[in-house]
Amino acid sequence: MQTTLSSTNSIQSARDRILDAAVELFATRGFQAVGLRDLASYLGLHAGSLYHHIDNKQALLFELIESGLLDLLQETKCRMNNARRPCERLNLFIQAFVKFNFKEKHKLTLITSEFANLNKEQQARVIQLKNRYSSLISTFFTHEHNKKEAFNGEICPLTNTAVTILFGQSQWYNPETTEPQLTATLTHIFTCMIGNYKRN
């Protein structure tokens, strides 16, 4: 039986329920394959009631991607701020990503797979957030006196490779891989990349 959002007894807010359902459906079925009627049906709701909480499906996708990137940025910066040595900063950076990878796997899928379904204004905002995250990676391949430039958005050539490795592995790695295993693998890869960069 379908209900309205206002009649549910869920502890979560109606909006939270919509966001949780949308991120799962968009990530597992694909954004284009899921309509608002599908989302409402999944929640056991009348489709019209969704419009009390969201503007449209595209705006919903953008909110999920933006919030995912903001969460990843905040978690990464908080961890790295506590580091004193470069190797410690690298370890904390990777730990933050791996935690996000496992905790927010559906948002990570949307970030990597659904960018093309945003409008130009939304894409510009997402690119801005991605560049901010990339600037954190750039510091690992930038000499000490150039760190300021890296944070200001001058991305060194190796950064794109590092980003591809990080976000690409989420689509390729064995689902049975554990957090410690993925952390160790990424740490080894990044350590080798940084070592090669410093020798050149």
Side-chain angles (χ1 to χ4, degrees):
M1 177 180 177
Q2 290 185 325
T3 63
T4 62
L5 286 171
S6 59
S7 67
T8 62
N9 295 319
S10 174
I11 296 176
Q12 288 181 297
S13 71
R15 185 168 179 76
D16 286 341
R17 292 184 62 219
I18 293 172
L19 293 174
D20 288 346
V23 71
E24 180 179 350
L25 292 180
F26 291 167
T28 57
R29 301 183 188 178
F31 175 76
Q32 293 288 356
V34 178
L36 289 182
R37 288 185 180 275
D38 299 313
L39 178 58
S41 177
Y42 183 82
L43 290 164
L45 305 169
H46 293 290
S49 63
L50 295 180
Y51 288 103
H52 294 294
H53 303 274
I54 62 173
D55 292 331
N56 53 60
K57 192 175 76 161
Q58 188 181 61
L60 182 56
L61 174 65
F62 171 66
E63 181 175 349
L64 293 169
I65 292 176
E66 182 185 43
S67 66
L69 285 168
L70 286 171
D71 288 345
L72 178 59
L73 269 168
Q74 181 179 6
E75 176 69 18
T76 304
K77 286 182 177 180
C78 286
R79 286 179 180 249
M80 291 176 69
N81 285 340
N82 295 324
R84 296 182 178 180
R85 297 177 299 169
C87 62
E88 187 179 1
R89 291 180 68 253
L90 175 62
N91 289 336
L92 292 173
F93 172 86
I94 291 175
Q95 287 173 19
F97 179 83
V98 171
K99 178 182 177 181
F100 183 82
N101 187 105
F102 280 86
K103 183 180 178 181
E104 300 287 357
K105 62 179 181 179
H106 290 324
K107 283 189 178 181
L108 186 59
T109 297
L110 298 186
I111 291 170
T112 57
S113 304
E114 299 293 353
F115 176 81
N117 286 306
L118 301 175
N119 63 38
K120 290 184 178 180
E121 182 179 350
Q122 293 166 343
Q123 288 181 348
R125 169 60 175 164
V126 170
I127 289 172
Q128 181 186 54
L129 293 174
K130 286 182 175 181
N131 285 342
R132 285 170 57 188
Y133 187 74
S134 294
S135 71
L136 297 178
I137 300 176
S138 287
T139 61
F140 298 122
F141 306 110
T142 307
H143 294 300
E144 191 71 23
H145 65 279
N146 284 332
K147 282 185 178 179
K148 182 177 180 181
E149 284 79 0
F151 276 110
N152 285 336
E154 293 185 13
I155 308 301
C156 73
L158 278 175
T159 298
N160 285 337
T161 301
V163 169
T164 300
I165 290 172
L166 278 178
F167 288 88
Q169 61 75 35
S170 66
Q171 308 298 318
W172 285 91
Y173 81 99
N174 188 329
E176 297 181 359
T177 300
T178 65
E179 288 191 37
Q181 289 173 334
L182 183 57
T183 300
T185 298
L186 292 176
T187 300
H188 176 71
I189 292 172
F190 269 67
T191 300
C192 290
M193 291 177 66
I194 293 169
N196 289 334
Y197 172 79
K198 289 182 177 179
R199 284 194 293 269
N200 295 329

